[in-house]
């Protein structure tokens, strides 16, 4: 029989992951970083429609969760790069599968499934 405490522990972790990936722009940012996009301006271009404030906020949150690391290179002007940590890279399959599922099933309202 499953220990209810253990079951709720697993559920909390699952919910935390779902909440993170369910935030607006997070899957797109992670997808762009999986493609090797690292500079802030490249991310802004890759994630079309995101505001500077939203991109900055999401990157800070991903950094605080150890999914993204921010690397500052002192130069003129200062160069700021973003890359995935091993935990972030481990999301590659999840993001890929989410994208594949979306292509199959998450169509516009009224569209028939593929």
């Amino acid at each position: 029989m499953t220990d209810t405490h253990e079951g709720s522990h697993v559920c909390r972790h699952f919910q935390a992951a779902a909440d993170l990936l369910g935030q607006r722009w997070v899957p797109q940012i992670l997808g762009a970083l999986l493609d090797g996009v690292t500079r802030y301006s490249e991310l802004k271009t890759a994630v079309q429609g995101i505001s500077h404030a939203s991109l900055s906020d999401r990157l800070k949150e991903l950094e605080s969760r150890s999914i993204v690391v921010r690397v500052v290179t002192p130069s003129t002007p200062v160069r700021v790069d973003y890359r995935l940590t091993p935990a972030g890279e481990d999301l590659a399959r999840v993001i890929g599968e989410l994208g594949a599922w979306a292509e199959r099933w998450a169509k516009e309202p009224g569209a028939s499934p593929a």
Side-chain angles (χ1 to χ4, degrees):
M1 181 175 254
T2 304
D3 182 351
T4 56
H5 176 68
E6 183 178 323
S8 65
H9 179 74
V10 172
C11 186
R12 278 196 317 268
H13 290 290
F14 180 87
Q15 190 60 51
D19 289 345
L20 175 67
L21 291 175
Q23 288 185 41
R24 186 172 175 126
W25 306 116
V26 167
Q28 294 92 328
I29 292 168
L30 294 174
L33 287 168
L34 286 168
D35 289 339
V37 177
T38 55
R39 299 206 58 188
Y40 182 91
S41 61
E42 293 171 327
L43 285 171
K44 178 75 172 81
T45 299
V47 183
Q48 296 179 359
I50 192 170
S51 69
H52 286 288
S54 291
L55 179 56
S56 179
D57 289 346
R58 294 301 180 268
L59 286 169
K60 286 176 187 173
E61 179 169 5
L62 291 169
E63 187 178 10
S64 75
R65 292 176 180 242
S66 300
I67 294 170
V68 169
V69 66
R70 182 177 186 257
V71 180
V72 178
T73 305
S75 62
T76 306
V78 173
R79 179 183 172 113
V80 179
D81 294 325
Y82 294 89
R83 66 174 174 79
L84 294 172
T85 64
E89 291 171 354
D90 204 25
L91 286 168
R93 193 175 83 221
V94 174
I95 298 298
E97 288 297 319
L98 182 60
W101 181 88
E103 286 297 316
R104 285 191 306 272
W105 300 104
K107 305 294 183 189
E108 295 295 321
S112 60

